[in-house]
Amino acid sequence: MPDEKRPLLAIAIGLVLAGLITGPALWQGGYVGSPGAEVYGHAWVQAWAADAWPAWPTGTSLAAGAASWPILDGLPTWLAAGLAQVVGLRAAWNLLIAAGVVLAAFGGARLASAAGGAPLFGAVAVPLMPSWLGSITSGLTEDLGIGLLALAVAAGIEGRWVRAGILAGLLAFCGLYLAWFAGMALAVLGARALVQSRDHWRGMLGGAFFAGVLVSAAAAPFASQLGEPTPARPRAPTAEPLWALNPWRGADVASFVAVGKVDTDEAVVREHPTYLGYSTIILAVVGGGPAGWAAVAGCGLASMGDEVSVAGKPTGLHNPVASVLHMIPMGDRFRNHARIMLLGQLVLVTMAARGAARLARNRRSLAGVAAAVVVAEVILASPGRAPAPVTLADSPAIYAELSNAPAGLPVRVVGAQNPQAPLFDQRAHGRILRNGPNRPDPGRPRPDEEIVVAFGEAVARLQGELGPPDATVADAAAWWP
């Protein structure tokens, strides 16, 4: 295929995959992503950012502790907020996800081409990486720039260091995790290039300058947090039934190869599947090399976190690779190490794209066949979800009753199944929340000075404490002074 047509093909593939991933949300009138993860919180951020647009999102007074809350994905949030001025909040969210899929396809094609692989395969396989599908399912909009990461790595492979540095710097405005991945990948590529020839150092200095300026600007709002001690990582349970999705501190050893979809049964978890894919592994064996496999292995070992678990059960074994990771600048900031497989799977897919290209030397159609097999495996066998689940846009009816409460009172929500749901539902009543992004449990209700909204089992408990509610709808109730 002529080189000038490859970008158009990658974009076309991205549009098809965007339709596959976002289709159910469009049909059902909801948001792409799971109601059991962080869609509620991230969609709420886009809502108040839209109210303040075109100002850069820097925090809000609408919830406790959020006035100076730094936004991890400032650029995607700002773009979605601007788009919401035209198409509305829900459509803006879904279009942002779709744009991320198209960008992933474009970046995957460029990365595959730079590495000597089949661009068609890269365009298909990068958007369908199980770890990235987990980010979409979980509502982690800071990972939508995976296509920029692929473009930055491609530029590094080609020795275009200034371009690589600018792309890595832009990634910091999408999410600091992605920028860190780019920095690690470009550092390795740069070291290898310098061993081969010292002629690269001027370009590397230029790239490092631009990356440093952009990353410093993006990280400035997080300066106080980055200087704090290592963040506490949730203790893994003694038995984790959802181990294939890695909802806790790191990747389960068995999750790399365990086939099958996982029924979360409405559990409130983030999904970080690290399933490698047997078809992808086979192709990577054909096209990979020692350096690539070392990178995948390093990412895989680091992604397991501090303690090794197998099939949902902690072994009690300490992971020494995690200790090495924590010695690297900012390597100790991961709350869930499984996220590192975003980079590991990107390397694996790049090697698989080279394998597909080698097969296509004998018959050109084999690259397309390889891509189709990967699509089938992801849809049918991978724990990563494609199509993505849907979060419905409607808020509980109890919030409509708050119009009868005295004006100016804040709202405290108790018993919500997802602790981020009260943030999303704040749009329905418009009052200040006593709940906050980092304080989902706001403490003891004060019905003398606030509106108390309860759900589920909390309704009966609060009736015993507060007496008859002022409003009752289905399994929810509300009290006010």
Side-chain angles (χ1 to χ4, degrees):
M1 175 178 293
D3 290 343
E4 63 271 14
K5 292 186 178 180
R6 287 180 177 177
L8 296 178
L9 177 60
I11 291 172
I13 290 172
L15 290 171
V16 172
L17 293 178
L20 167 68
I21 292 170
T22 66
L26 301 180
W27 303 328
Q28 298 178 39
Y31 289 71
V32 176
S34 169
E38 296 193 9
V39 172
Y40 287 126
H42 285 246
W44 170 73
V45 171
Q46 291 184 9
W48 56 255
D51 291 338
W53 199 85
W56 189 261
T58 57
T60 179
S61 60
L62 296 175
S68 58
W69 193 43
I71 307 305
L72 190 61
D73 56 334
L75 181 57
T77 297
W78 187 83
L79 292 174
L83 191 58
Q85 312 298 314
V86 180
V87 300
L89 291 168
R90 179 176 56 82
W93 172 278
N94 293 336
L95 285 172
L96 181 69
I97 303 295
V101 175
V102 175
L103 179 61
F106 182 79
R110 281 286 302 118
L111 177 57
S113 179
L120 168 65
F121 184 90
V124 171
V126 169
L128 293 180
M129 295 189 310
S131 58
W132 195 64
L133 291 176
S135 293
I136 291 178
T137 293
S138 300
L140 302 179
T141 49
E142 65 265 30
D143 289 343
L144 289 179
I146 194 74
L148 284 179
L149 174 59
L151 290 172
V153 176
I157 292 174
E158 295 171 338
R160 301 180 181 183
W161 301 111
V162 172
R163 176 186 296 184
I166 293 173
L167 289 169
L170 287 175
L171 273 171
F173 290 94
C174 299
L176 295 180
Y177 284 120
L178 292 184
W180 190 87
F181 294 148
M184 293 299 101
L186 292 176
V188 172
L189 291 172
R192 187 180 68 174
L194 286 176
V195 169
Q196 296 171 347
S197 172
R198 297 190 177 183
D199 294 339
H200 294 273
W201 69 271
R202 291 184 181 84
M204 289 180 183
L205 283 179
F209 171 78
F210 286 110
V213 170
L214 291 169
V215 170
S216 297
F222 301 89
S224 60
Q225 294 183 9
L226 295 176
E228 294 177 354
T230 301
R233 284 180 272 274
R235 178 89 184 154
T238 55
E240 173 51 64
L242 300 178
W243 54 266
L245 298 177
N246 300 310
W248 295 97
R249 297 180 300 171
D252 191 287
V253 173
S255 71
F256 293 102
V257 294
V259 176
K261 300 299 179 183
V262 180
D263 183 6
T264 61
D265 193 26
E266 299 183 349
V268 179
V269 293
R270 292 198 332 190
E271 301 181 18
H272 296 284
T274 57
Y275 177 70
L276 300 177
Y278 289 95
S279 57
T280 305
I281 292 174
I282 292 171
L283 289 166
V285 169
V286 175
W293 283 113
V296 173
C299 290
L301 290 169
S303 73
M304 292 190 292
D306 304 280
E307 183 181 1
V308 178
S309 294
V310 180
K313 297 181 180 179
T315 64
L317 297 175
H318 174 70
N319 180 10
V321 178
S323 298
V324 175
L325 171 71
H326 297 163
M327 297 178 186
I328 301 173
M330 312 316 301
D332 63 343
R333 311 311 298 179
F334 289 92
R335 288 181 59 84
N336 190 323
H337 291 78
R339 209 164 184 172
I340 296 171
M341 280 309 290
L342 280 168
L343 179 59
Q345 289 186 349
L346 189 65
V347 176
L348 184 70
V349 164
T350 304
M351 292 194 297
R354 292 180 62 184
R358 289 181 179 179
L359 293 178
R361 291 174 186 171
N362 299 323
R363 179 174 291 184
R364 294 183 60 183
S365 62
L366 288 180
V369 171
V373 171
V374 169
V375 171
E377 183 177 8
V378 168
I379 293 176
L380 299 176
S382 165
R385 298 204 247 176
V390 181
T391 295
L392 297 180
D394 296 332
S395 292
I398 188 65
Y399 291 113
E401 301 296 321
L402 303 192
S403 61
N404 298 318
L409 291 176
V411 173
R412 183 187 303 265
V413 180
V414 181
Q417 182 177 3
N418 187 324
Q420 289 194 359
L423 300 173
F424 182 82
D425 296 329
Q426 190 272 337
R427 308 168 312 144
H429 56 76
R431 298 172 182 261
I432 294 176
L433 272 177
R434 289 286 171 87
N435 307 65
N438 299 318
R439 283 186 60 210
D441 181 4
R444 184 175 178 80
R446 296 291 304 274
D448 57 326
E449 60 181 34
E450 64 190 11
I451 301 170
V452 179
V453 177
F455 293 93
E457 296 178 355
V459 173
R461 174 170 58 83
L462 288 180
Q463 279 182 326
E465 297 179 15
L466 307 180
D470 293 283
T472 302
V473 175
D475 63 343
W479 295 258
W480 51 75

